[in-house]
Amino acid sequence: MGRADPEEGQLPAPVKPPDGGWGWIVLFGCFVITGFSYAFPKAVSVYFKELMKDFHVGYSDTAWISSIMLAMLYGTGPVCSIMVNQFGCRPVMLIGGLLASSGMILASFTTNIIELYLTAGVLTGLGMALNFQPSLIMLGTYFDKRRPLANGLAAAGSPVFLSSLSPLGQVLLEKFGWRGGFLIMGGLLLNCCTCGAVMRPLDMGMKRKMEKAKDKYEAKEMLPIGGKSEEGISTTDGTKKAKKAKKKPKKGKKLLDFSIFSNRGFIIYTISKFILVLGLFVPPILLVNYAKDTGVPDTEAAFLLSIIGFIDIFARPACGMVAGLKWVRPHVAYLFSFAMLFNGLTDICSARASNYTGLVIFCVFFGISYGMVGALQFEVLMAIVGSQKFSSAIGLVLLIEAFAVLIGPPSAGRLVDALKNYEVIFYLAGSEVVLSALFLAMATYCCLNRGKNKEPPPEKNPSAGGGSDTEEAESDVQEDEEHSSDNHQPPHSTDNTVVVTSEEANHVAEEQSGEGGGCPEGDGEVLARDGCNTDQTVERDSF
């Protein structure tokens, strides 16, 4: 009642997430997309030595390929949000898969490093960005009660793909060279299109079918049997079209919703995440060189990253399961703060590790804490803004993180060159992560929890976010039922009741049972199969 039609550019009526069913297919697609998005920029590093020989460039020149990929993944967040809000998740992901694949295929024919930047860096990076963000949006649409577990399982794609793409890249390099490897990698990225194809919208089909059955039943209930029924149906359809024509001048949906900056929780999360990214990625980037400087052999030093990846595979789903517990989920922001604090203290305590055993212990604890952070970061954002505004929120957050990514690791590298001391870098990175954890916990407690106790609870608003999407959808259903019961008029008592009424009602009810049963809800008549009086009608709202 009073909701906008999605065809007119307004937010669609919330549909209760199934928390399963086709959602598991969506989850698998998100798992694959997350793996490609985070692991692919790191996996292409196995080709750098061959690229340096062919193009006669240095390591820093080839490293820009991975940096440009990550910059596109983070920096194009608002562009992805605008495209998703305008065209939907599925079309954007299909285009993104084609761009990512074509970028690597074209890169196999390049003749200089600049062309590699434009193809493998810009084009492939943009394609992965157009897949990553919509996949997370669809995951939040299909899951509510099991959303923490779903986020944890999807986030596990990053370490799984990293542990598989790097060895695969090495094999392809040895058998086909870097050009053949890029060509085959481009073919693998076409799987992003398959993942995009399974991201079907949740609410559009259900709403159209309910409206069609509702209008058909109303026309047959109000008019006699025969030719007038068909006439009534056509009249009702014409009235519906006239209603839509009158509503067309309404303002369309915002392509990028900046109103989320009025949400204090979002501001706190964004500041905390910016500080976190400054130091989060520094230890794994410098770990191998740090180990080599302490006298660890090259093969054993490279194995340290494999330890982190292996632990990370199990830490993310496990943390997602813990976050989904009833007594933990309301306080998921504090669990995220604990994960960041754990990660920061691990960096600080391991800064003086001087032997291989100490570095292995560091990798185990870093893998656990890093997996916890990865599993919770988007779950906390979904809990703060809600699924209705998540598409805009994640785009803006990724853009802000892009600046931190460009500041943190390069600054750490310059300090290493200047100080020739890795211990200071680990202390600095750990301190930044600890600061972000303390800021998030203290700001959440002081600014949000205390504010809730002092201020009266706001009215429910489906588009405002900040609560459970399931509760928002259920509240909308209750409002529809209450409004319909207010307009309910008792039928006239007559002996000549139309016999076909129950038959037609059963026919419509069977149509509804195929869509999950229950009573159709909307702006018109309410029909219930169990417990609804099929001989009673409810008048439509005035157009």
Side-chain angles (χ1 to χ4, degrees):
M1 313 288 288
R3 297 176 190 162
D5 196 326
E7 295 178 358
E8 298 169 15
Q10 301 293 330
L11 289 173
V15 176
K16 184 176 180 180
D19 276 307
W22 190 258
W24 298 117
I25 305 298
V26 174
L27 172 59
F28 178 75
C30 190
F31 174 88
V32 175
I33 295 298
T34 303
F36 275 125
S37 299
Y38 280 120
F40 202 84
K42 303 171 186 175
V44 295
S45 61
V46 300
Y47 300 99
F48 284 175
K49 285 188 177 180
E50 292 297 323
L51 294 175
M52 292 166 60
K53 292 179 182 178
D54 285 4
F55 295 141
H56 305 288
V57 295
Y59 180 82
S60 60
D61 296 320
T62 57
W64 270 103
I65 299 174
S66 298
S67 299
I68 293 173
M69 283 186 182
L70 290 174
M72 295 299 294
L73 180 64
Y74 285 96
T76 58
V79 178
C80 297
S81 297
I82 292 173
M83 294 184 66
V84 168
N85 290 334
Q86 182 69 21
F87 304 108
C89 292
R90 180 188 284 177
V92 173
M93 292 184 68
L94 292 174
I95 294 174
L98 292 175
L99 288 177
S101 176
S102 61
M104 292 302 296
I105 293 174
L106 292 175
S108 65
F109 299 99
T110 55
T111 57
N112 56 67
I113 195 68
I114 301 298
E115 293 176 357
L116 269 179
Y117 292 161
L118 297 177
T119 53
V122 175
L123 202 57
T124 300
L126 177 61
M128 289 189 296
L130 294 178
N131 274 274
F132 176 63
Q133 188 171 320
S135 67
L136 292 177
I137 295 171
M138 290 301 298
L139 191 67
T141 303
Y142 271 85
F143 288 91
D144 182 24
K145 294 181 180 179
R146 295 178 179 174
R147 193 176 63 200
L149 175 61
N151 276 315
L153 291 173
S158 175
V160 170
F161 272 63
L162 181 60
S163 61
S164 57
L165 285 179
S166 295
L168 176 62
Q170 188 64 41
V171 172
L172 294 177
L173 178 63
E174 295 173 358
K175 289 183 177 285
F176 306 103
W178 71 265
R179 294 186 184 274
F182 275 24
L183 193 63
I184 296 175
M185 286 287 194
L188 289 177
L189 285 174
L190 284 175
N191 287 290
C192 294
C193 295
T194 305
C195 296
V198 303
M199 303 290 178
R200 68 186 186 194
L202 182 63
D203 55 350
M204 296 299 296
M206 295 174 60
K207 190 170 182 181
R208 289 196 190 103
K209 290 179 181 179
M210 287 192 297
E211 288 181 352
K212 183 178 179 180
K214 172 185 61 182
D215 292 337
K216 183 185 295 185
Y217 172 73
E218 182 184 34
K220 292 182 178 181
E221 181 72 9
M222 295 177 63
L223 296 175
I225 307 173
K228 292 185 178 180
S229 297
E230 298 179 358
E231 182 182 350
I233 295 174
S234 62
T235 304
T236 305
D237 292 339
T239 307
K240 184 179 179 181
K241 291 179 181 178
K243 178 182 178 180
K244 287 187 177 181
K246 290 181 180 179
K247 285 188 175 181
K248 277 187 178 179
K250 283 191 175 181
K251 187 178 179 181
K253 182 175 64 176
K254 296 179 180 179
L255 296 180
L256 194 61
D257 192 356
F258 290 97
S259 65
I260 55 176
F261 283 105
S262 62
N263 186 333
R264 289 182 295 178
F266 177 76
I267 298 296
I268 293 171
Y269 175 86
T270 304
I271 296 174
S272 175
K273 197 71 185 300
F274 179 84
I275 302 173
L276 170 69
V277 174
L278 288 175
L280 181 65
F281 301 121
V282 171
I285 291 176
L286 301 179
L287 178 62
V288 175
N289 290 332
Y290 177 40
K292 291 178 181 180
D293 286 354
T294 58
V296 178
D298 292 352
T299 54
E300 294 182 0
F303 183 69
L304 292 174
L305 292 178
S306 300
I307 296 175
I308 294 177
F310 181 78
I311 298 297
D312 195 4
I313 292 174
F314 299 97
R316 298 193 183 210
C319 185
M321 294 178 63
V322 173
L325 298 175
K326 293 182 178 179
W327 55 276
V328 176
R329 191 172 183 185
H331 311 290
V332 67
Y334 295 108
L335 180 61
F336 186 43
S337 300
F338 171 76
M340 292 189 293
L341 181 64
F342 185 14
N343 185 272
L345 292 178
T346 300
D347 295 341
I348 294 174
C349 295
S350 304
R352 304 188 67 180
S354 57
N355 54 49
Y356 189 70
T357 302
L359 291 175
V360 170
I361 295 174
F362 161 75
C363 290
V364 171
F365 285 98
F366 185 87
I368 296 173
S369 59
Y370 189 78
M372 293 176 65
V373 172
L376 294 173
Q377 55 180 344
F378 297 117
E379 168 60 27
V380 174
L381 181 59
M382 290 181 186
I384 291 173
V385 301
S387 62
Q388 296 292 317
K389 294 189 176 183
F390 182 70
S391 60
S392 296
I394 188 175
L396 294 171
V397 167
L398 289 177
L399 176 62
I400 295 172
E401 286 184 26
F403 292 102
V405 170
L406 295 175
I407 294 173
S411 301
R414 291 182 180 179
L415 287 175
V416 170
D417 293 337
L419 302 176
K420 306 297 181 182
N421 188 349
Y422 287 93
E423 182 178 335
V424 176
I425 307 303
F426 274 73
Y427 279 129
L428 180 61
S431 300
E432 290 169 343
V433 177
V434 169
L435 177 62
S436 67
L438 296 177
F439 175 80
L440 178 62
M442 296 176 63
T444 300
Y445 177 77
C446 297
C447 300
L448 299 182
N449 290 353
R450 287 189 175 183
K452 288 180 181 179
N453 295 332
K454 294 179 180 180
E455 300 175 0
E459 296 181 358
K460 292 266 186 178
N461 188 352
S463 63
S468 172
D469 301 327
T470 304
E471 295 176 357
E472 293 174 358
E474 291 176 351
S475 64
D476 292 336
V477 172
Q478 292 176 359
E479 290 176 2
D480 288 347
E481 293 177 350
E482 293 174 0
H483 191 85
S484 299
S485 62
D486 293 340
N487 294 337
H488 191 280
Q489 293 182 356
H492 297 287
S493 176
T494 59
D495 296 333
N496 298 326
T497 305
V498 181
V499 177
V500 78
T501 301
S502 59
E503 296 178 357
E504 296 296 334
N506 291 334
H507 175 70
V508 178
E510 290 175 0
E511 293 182 358
Q512 293 300 318
S513 63
E515 303 298 326
C519 304
E521 299 151 2
D523 295 336
E525 177 183 355
V526 176
L527 169 67
R529 200 154 57 102
D530 298 325
C532 296
N533 192 346
T534 57
D535 294 331
Q536 296 178 353
T537 60
V538 179
E539 294 183 352
R540 281 187 174 272
D541 296 333
S542 58
F543 296 153

